[in-house]
């Protein structure tokens, strides 16, 4: 049971509950349930977490703990084009922060934010295992390697 | 089944322990106190915390390359353990210094100063400087609740609070978030505590090693009231306080300090030194009558009667009911808690008696509890905005006040409570422990119902520390079934039975804190020593035994109060002054 009434549409609530039920309302499947729910909603705002908590009969704080622990879960809607900049050790050393700054400057948003038109969002990532290509940037599923600040404008041109 | 016993060596001493013993406990048995932080073990009352994250308890085990955490490593045959080699001491100190490096350095003015486990550890480990100067994590304080202050910047991530709230209370308000340096324990979505399911039980405060969680400090308001010549300041003290206050002055756990307590309150300058125990007797008059009323109607076939009746003296429990079981609000007794009954009578009956307007009277209560602060702030317990109880202090705050007033508590002469609101029976005293309220009610209800006198007033079947207990009492032919739960997660089990319609009980007692009020969130810190809580319970039962009067309805001042003022239990006047109602606080607009 949760404290705040979800402001989601009844259809959305029904869908979230059926996601939980498809995993047998098993608390042990929380990560998978959150995955599916994020696929469905695009992100995991408090209302969504409250519905899942109620359905699984666990405290909503438990869900919030998990959502904040794994960087793949987000609580804010992402842009149409989501840009992730690796800040793992190799990328960091090879200038990931300068690349990040260039994205921030050109898009006028900060890490974890989305442009007002809903098109772009940026975030940092931990090592994705492509250190040979450092520094690495991902847009959606596409990987860009050895990115310099000067490349940033060209990358953005691909997504309009 | 016999437990295998295991032989090992700790610091060159041969040791024999039962299978399943941790190195921490094995060492303790030898008088070797390995330091621990994230670990806390109160398994006798249902609490165990520790995920071996702090690494302050590491020891050397022969044949192992890495140091082992003593709190989770089990003794095994032939193990050779060293707890104080330079390597061990050095590693522990580094781990502690890393914790200290991002801890705010406000020890001198911290509310936990003098009781802080982090300070104690720094002292026992001989930390003289902190070699790592890290960035200090900053996090806003949460002062939204009337009971508890959260200061996450002082959190050391032991996660005891999270565990006790989720496992023992079943509430689950607190959670660790993020990882690494950023990790901290907060509420879901970092909401203020008053926007959560929090019951204000204060068990998180009771186990927090640092000043990250504390009670809201109300001592200054009391000092101001005491200094105001226009105010008559009345104080009432809950039963569990007298079993624990002595600990704050170095007295042995379980020392009863009732007499010194009364003297100290008089020296602090209170005009009237009264006892919440008086009001506990009053509560029993009402609650036992209500129990019998419901029981009789039920036996006559009245299907509208709600049974079991559930006790309502614990404010954390009441809040939990209102937030979590809004569909079951017809079950709890409508009787107010003893603290609120006291306030109500003090500001009506007693104020009239001494000719003081209620607005010129300040009622202060001293409670083992932090939830009581939220209770006295409830608007239903006020007349024209003037609260029945003005200020609530915890046992710890009273101790601090006594020190501030330069009173040498230990050498105080014994005193007594004032009449008429200071007189009480043994039945009132046992309100302080799990099982006590229902035992007190049984003593009175039995005599009310049967019209005969109880020869044996000790109901041993109701006593103990088991999380959920039950007993049947023969009320001259009627078998009254009683359930008892302490710890809100245990209470939930009994509530779910009621929801399903499968509860077999006629009456249920619930106390939120493990052990009842003796283990309350406002008591001197037990620091994980369960024996302290047990000693307090012993003290309670011995105070009860020592009383000439042990049944609430035999309290002469209670009899007088009904004759002179209230009329009959459950009567109109009693109803207005001593009863209350409950509201849905689940936050759900529609159901
Ligand atoms: S006061 Fe009680 S319910 Fe509230 S967070 Fe602390 S342990 Fe949980
Ligand atoms: S708030 Fe206190 S009890 Fe909770 S994790 Fe932090 S230090 Fe431990
Ligand atoms: S550090 Fe960026 S890919 Fe490994
Ligand atoms: S007490 Fe053993 S690791 Fe924290």
């Amino acid at each position: 049971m949760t404290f705040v009434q979800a402001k989601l549409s009844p259809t959305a609530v029904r869908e979230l509950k059926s996601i939980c039920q498809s995993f047998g309302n098993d608390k042990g499947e929380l990560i998978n349930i959150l995955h599916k729910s994020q696929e469905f909603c695009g992100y995991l705002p408090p209302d969504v977490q409250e519905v899942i908590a109620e359905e699984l009969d666990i405290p909503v704080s438990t869900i919030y703990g998990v959502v904040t622990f794994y960087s793949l879960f987000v609580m804010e809607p992402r842009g149409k084009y989501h840009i992730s900049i690796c800040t793992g050790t190799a990328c960091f050393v090879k200038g990931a922060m300068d690349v990040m700054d260039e994205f921030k400057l050109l898009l006028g948003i900060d890490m974890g934010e989305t442009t007002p038109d809903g098109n772009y969002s940026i975030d940092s990532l931990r090592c994705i295992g492509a250190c040979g290509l450092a520094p690495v940037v991902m847009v959606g599923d596409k990987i860009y390697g050895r990115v310099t600040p000067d490349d940033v404008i060209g990358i953005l041109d691909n997504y309009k | 089944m016999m437990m295998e016993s295991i032989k090992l060596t700790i610091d060159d001493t041969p040791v024999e322990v039962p299978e399943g013993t941790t190195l921490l406990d094995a060492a303790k048995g030898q008088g070797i106190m390995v330091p621990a932080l994230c670990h806390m073990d109160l398994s006798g009352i249902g609490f165990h915390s520790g995920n071996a994250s702090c690494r302050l308890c590491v020891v050397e085990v022969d044949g192992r390359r890495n140091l082992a955490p003593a709190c989770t490593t089990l003794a095994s045959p032939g193990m050779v353990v060293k707890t104080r080699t330079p390597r061990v001491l050095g590693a522990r100190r580094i781990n502690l210094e890393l914790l200290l490096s991002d801890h705010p350095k406000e020890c001198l003015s911290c509310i936990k100063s003098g009781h802080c486990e982090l300070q104690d550890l720094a002292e026992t480990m001989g930390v003289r400087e902190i070699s790592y100067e890290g960035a200090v994590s900053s996090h806003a304080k949460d002062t939204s609740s009337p009971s508890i202050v959260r200061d996450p910047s002082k959190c050391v991530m032991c996660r005891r609070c999270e565990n006790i709230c989720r496992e023992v209370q079943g509430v689950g308000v607190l959670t660790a978030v993020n990882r690494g340096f950023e990790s901290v324990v907060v509420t879901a979505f970092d909401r203020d505590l008053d926007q959560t399911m929090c019951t204000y039980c204060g068990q998180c405060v009771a186990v927090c090693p640092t000043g990250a969680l504390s009670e809201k400090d109300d001592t200054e308001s009391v000092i101001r009231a005491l200094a105001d010549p226009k105010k008559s300041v009345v104080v009432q003290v809950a039963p569990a306080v007298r079993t624990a206050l002595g600990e704050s002055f170095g007295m042995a756990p379980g020392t009863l300090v009732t007499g010194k307590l009364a003297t100290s309150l008089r020296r602090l300058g209170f005009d009237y030194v009264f006892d919440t125990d008086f009001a506990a007797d009053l509560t029993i008059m009402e609650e036992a009558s209500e129990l019998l009323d419901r029981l009789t109607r039920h036996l006559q076939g009245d299907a509208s009667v709600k049974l079991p009746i559930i006790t309502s003296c614990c404010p954390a429990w009441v809040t939990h009911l209102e937030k979590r079981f809004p569909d079951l609000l017809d079950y709890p007794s409508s009787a107010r808690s003893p603290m609120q009954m006291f306030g109500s009578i003090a500001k009506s009956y007693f104020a009239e008696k001494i000719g003081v307007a209620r607005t010129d009277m300040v009622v202060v209560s001293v409670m083992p509890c932090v939830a009581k602060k939220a209770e006295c702030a409830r608007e239903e317990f006020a007349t024209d905005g003037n609260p029945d109880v003005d200020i609530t202090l915890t046992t710890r705050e009273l101790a601090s006040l006594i020190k501030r007033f330069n009173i040498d508590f230990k050498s105080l002469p014994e005193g007594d409570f004032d009449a008429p609101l200071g007189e009480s029976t043994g039945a009132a005293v046992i309100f302080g422990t799990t099982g006590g309220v229902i035992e007190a009610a049984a003593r009175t209800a039995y005599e009310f119902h049967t019209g005969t006198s109880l020869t044996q007033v000790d109901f041993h079947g109701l006593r103990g520390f088991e999380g959920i207990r039950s007993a049947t009492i023969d009320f001259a032919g009627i078998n009254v079934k009683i359930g008892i739960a302490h710890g809100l997660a245990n209470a939930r089990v009994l509530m779910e039975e009621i929801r399903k319609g499968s509860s077999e009980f006629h009456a249920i007692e619930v106390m939120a804190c493990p052990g009842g009020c003796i283990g309350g969130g406002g008591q001197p810190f037990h620091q994980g020593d369960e024996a302290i809580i047990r000693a307090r319970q012993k003290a309670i039962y011995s105070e009860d035994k020592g009383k000439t009067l042990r049944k609430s309805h035999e309290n002469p001042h209670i009899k007088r109060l009904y004759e002179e003022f209230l009329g009959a239990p459950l009567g109109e006047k009693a109803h207005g002054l001593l009863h209350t109602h409950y509201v849905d606080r689940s936050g759900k607009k529609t159901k």
Side-chain angles (χ1 to χ4, degrees):
Chain A
M1 200 156 303
T2 53
F3 193 68
V4 173
Q5 176 73 4
K7 289 174 265 338
L8 298 165
S9 75
T11 337
V13 173
R14 226 173 300 127
E15 176 60 26
L16 287 168
K17 289 190 173 177
S18 81
I19 292 176
C20 295
Q21 285 151 14
S22 71
F23 288 96
N25 280 0
D26 181 355
K27 312 175 195 356
E29 295 284 351
L30 182 58
I31 306 245
N32 290 325
I33 292 170
L34 290 175
H35 251 298
K36 282 268 185 257
S37 305
Q38 181 158 304
E39 261 169 37
F40 169 68
C41 301
Y43 64 115
L44 298 170
D47 288 354
V48 169
Q49 297 183 36
E50 305 264 17
V51 171
I52 300 172
E54 176 152 358
E55 189 62 22
L56 300 184
D57 193 20
I58 55 176
V60 69
S61 65
T62 303
I63 299 191
Y64 180 65
V66 170
V67 168
T68 53
F69 188 83
Y70 294 103
S71 50
L72 63 105
F73 295 126
V74 288
M75 288 185 54
E76 298 285 332
R78 287 182 158 174
K80 192 161 137 209
Y81 306 114
H82 181 65
I83 301 156
S84 319
I85 298 133
C86 177
T87 51
T89 316
C91 295
F92 186 89
V93 170
K94 294 260 170 116
M97 295 324 266
D98 298 334
V99 175
M100 162 106 63
D101 286 343
E102 190 66 16
F103 276 109
K104 285 192 199 164
L105 190 78
L106 290 179
L107 295 173
I109 53 173
D110 216 337
M111 233 179 63
E113 290 182 352
T114 306
T115 52
D117 61 7
N119 272 340
Y120 305 98
S121 52
I122 41 179
D123 226 328
S124 67
L125 269 184
R126 276 170 257 269
C127 178
I128 60 165
C131 310
L133 296 174
V136 173
V137 170
M138 282 178 76
V139 184
D141 291 336
K142 189 157 168 43
I143 296 186
Y144 295 86
R146 302 211 180 88
V147 181
T148 65
D150 290 342
D151 298 336
V152 169
I153 194 151
I155 294 177
L156 284 176
D157 276 344
N158 299 333
Y159 303 94
K160 282 234 162 116
Chain B
M1 199 181 68
M2 263 291 282
M3 280 260 216
E4 286 294 322
S5 93
I6 284 177
K7 291 183 180 141
L8 70 162
T9 313
I10 301 178
D11 294 337
D12 301 325
T13 316
V15 182
E16 202 170 329
V17 294
E19 193 182 342
T21 307
T22 62
L23 294 182
L24 190 77
D25 289 336
K28 199 185 274 168
Q30 295 306 304
I32 299 168
M33 306 304 284
V34 173
L37 181 60
C38 65
H39 168 91
M40 188 181 254
D41 187 9
L42 291 165
S43 0
I45 50 174
F47 179 58
H48 184 277
S49 184
N51 46 358
S53 58
C54 76
R55 303 270 149 177
L56 295 187
C57 65
V58 288
V59 293
E60 232 175 276
V61 178
D62 265 16
R64 291 202 194 178
R65 227 158 47 96
N66 296 327
L67 296 177
C71 65
T72 51
T73 308
L74 298 182
S76 66
M79 232 181 198
V80 177
V81 180
K82 299 202 177 75
T83 75
R84 43 198 172 204
T85 63
R87 178 173 172 223
V88 162
L89 298 182
R92 286 183 193 157
R93 191 156 68 201
I94 288 174
N95 292 340
L96 181 60
E97 283 187 33
L98 283 171
L99 272 180
L100 293 171
S101 72
D102 73 342
H103 196 82
K105 316 271 180 303
E106 1 175 301
C107 294
L108 284 178
S109 54
C110 180
I111 187 164
K112 207 57 176 277
S113 182
H115 310 281
C116 176
E117 291 180 48
L118 197 62
Q119 273 179 0
D120 292 351
L121 286 164
E123 196 244 342
T124 46
M125 292 198 197
V127 172
R128 285 291 166 267
E129 59 173 351
I130 296 153
S131 337
Y132 313 94
E133 267 316 329
V136 173
S137 53
S138 70
H139 207 290
K141 261 195 195 183
D142 171 8
T143 55
S144 64
S145 102
S147 292
I148 291 169
V149 176
R150 291 191 312 126
D151 187 356
S153 64
K154 292 180 182 162
C155 175
V156 293
M157 273 300 282
C158 67
R159 302 178 73 173
R160 293 176 187 173
C161 58
E162 178 187 357
N163 288 335
I164 203 157
C165 187
R166 198 183 46 226
E167 306 301 331
V168 176
Q169 302 301 51
V171 182
V173 168
L174 301 166
T175 181
V177 294
N178 304 327
R179 36 169 120 194
F181 173 72
E182 315 240 287
S183 59
V184 63
V185 168
V186 294
T187 62
F189 319 119
D190 226 342
R191 285 186 180 139
D192 282 345
L193 214 49
D194 66 348
Q195 301 298 309
T196 69
M197 298 293 276
C198 179
T199 66
Y200 308 130
C201 73
Q203 281 306 307
C204 52
V205 175
V207 298
C208 180
T210 72
L213 291 162
S214 62
E215 70 270 36
K216 183 173 156 276
D217 185 344
D218 288 308
T219 48
E220 285 300 328
S221 324
V222 174
I223 294 176
R224 248 177 284 127
L226 288 171
D228 186 341
K230 292 191 294 295
K231 302 281 185 195
S232 292
V233 191
V234 175
V235 68
Q236 54 160 322
V237 196
V241 174
R242 66 209 67 189
T243 69
L245 180 65
E247 293 163 27
S248 297
F249 302 95
M251 299 164 84
T255 310
L256 272 172
V257 294
T258 319
K260 291 186 193 303
L261 171 59
T263 307
S264 69
L265 292 169
R266 208 158 277 124
R267 294 219 180 152
L268 284 171
F270 288 102
D271 299 305
Y272 298 94
V273 177
F274 289 143
D275 198 348
T276 313
D277 285 17
F278 171 83
D281 280 332
L282 189 55
T283 303
I284 287 303
M285 294 296 284
E286 296 295 322
E287 218 168 88
S289 306
E290 205 184 344
L291 163 66
L292 285 179
D293 173 60
R294 288 201 208 176
L295 203 58
T296 322
R297 278 164 45 216
H298 168 76
L299 292 172
Q300 287 162 352
D302 181 344
S304 70
V305 171
K306 301 286 186 190
L307 280 178
I309 184 172
I310 310 168
T311 57
S312 55
C313 353
C314 168
W317 163 235
V318 169
T319 303
H320 190 58
L321 259 172
E322 292 178 326
K323 286 184 173 177
R324 175 93 72 153
F325 305 100
D327 52 324
L328 301 178
L329 296 183
D330 292 339
Y331 287 85
S333 159
S334 62
R336 294 183 192 178
S337 70
M339 177 181 97
Q340 290 305 149
M341 284 199 183
F342 181 97
S344 174
I345 294 299
K347 286 203 176 175
S348 55
Y349 172 75
F350 183 66
E352 262 169 48
K353 237 183 165 58
I354 60 169
V356 168
R358 71 175 284 140
T359 43
D360 287 329
M361 180 179 276
V362 177
V363 174
V364 176
S365 66
V366 184
M367 298 281 134
C369 180
V370 298
K372 288 283 176 193
K373 289 176 186 278
E375 183 185 71
C376 82
R378 281 177 173 246
E379 40 188 64
E380 60 266 34
F381 298 140
T383 304
D384 304 325
N386 178 272
D388 292 344
V389 177
D390 297 81
I391 310 164
T392 295
L393 298 181
T394 60
T395 311
R396 291 191 294 267
E397 285 171 278
L398 175 62
S400 148
L401 210 54
I402 291 171
K403 287 178 187 163
R404 239 177 291 169
F405 275 56
N406 314 315
I407 296 169
D408 177 11
F409 187 81
K410 268 166 104 170
S411 66
L412 286 178
E414 309 281 310
D416 233 327
F417 293 109
D418 292 323
L421 310 185
E423 215 57 55
S424 68
T425 71
V429 175
I430 58 176
F431 261 63
T433 171
T434 171
V437 172
I438 209 75
E439 180 170 341
R443 291 177 189 174
T444 288
Y446 181 93
E447 295 203 353
F448 278 1
H449 178 71
T450 62
T452 58
S453 170
L454 263 181
T455 40
Q456 173 55 270
V457 299
D458 294 316
F459 290 92
H460 289 287
L462 300 172
R463 300 182 180 179
F465 271 109
E466 202 63 32
I468 298 179
R469 307 191 294 284
S470 62
T472 304
I473 297 179
D474 181 2
F475 272 40
I478 309 173
N479 277 334
V480 179
K481 294 204 169 105
I482 292 175
I484 297 168
H486 57 134
L488 291 171
N490 291 325
R492 183 176 178 187
V493 174
L494 301 185
M495 293 310 281
E496 296 291 353
E497 286 175 8
I498 298 178
R499 232 179 215 163
K500 284 200 301 263
S502 65
S503 179
E504 52 159 12
F505 297 118
H506 297 112
I508 290 178
E509 177 204 279
V510 176
M511 296 190 191
C513 291
C517 313
I518 47 172
Q523 295 278 58
F525 295 106
H526 53 65
Q527 300 202 334
D529 187 353
E530 203 178 295
I532 293 180
I533 299 173
R534 291 181 187 271
R536 292 175 189 161
Q537 190 185 60
K538 251 184 144 168
I540 288 246
Y541 286 122
S542 82
E543 173 120 326
D544 169 33
K545 254 214 147 78
K547 291 259 190 182
T548 355
L549 298 178
R550 299 181 62 193
K551 302 164 198 158
S552 295
H553 55 284
E554 290 178 351
N555 182 333
H557 289 274
I558 292 281
K559 287 187 197 163
R560 215 166 60 245
L561 178 65
Y562 278 101
E563 277 158 22
E564 280 181 11
F565 186 69
L566 285 171
L570 305 185
E572 203 189 310
K573 193 145 190 191
H575 201 88
L577 289 169
L578 307 179
H579 289 258
T580 185
H581 57 277
Y582 307 104
V583 248
D584 181 346
R585 290 180 210 268
S586 65
K588 307 220 167 203
K589 308 285 169 310
T590 49
K591 182 72 209 179

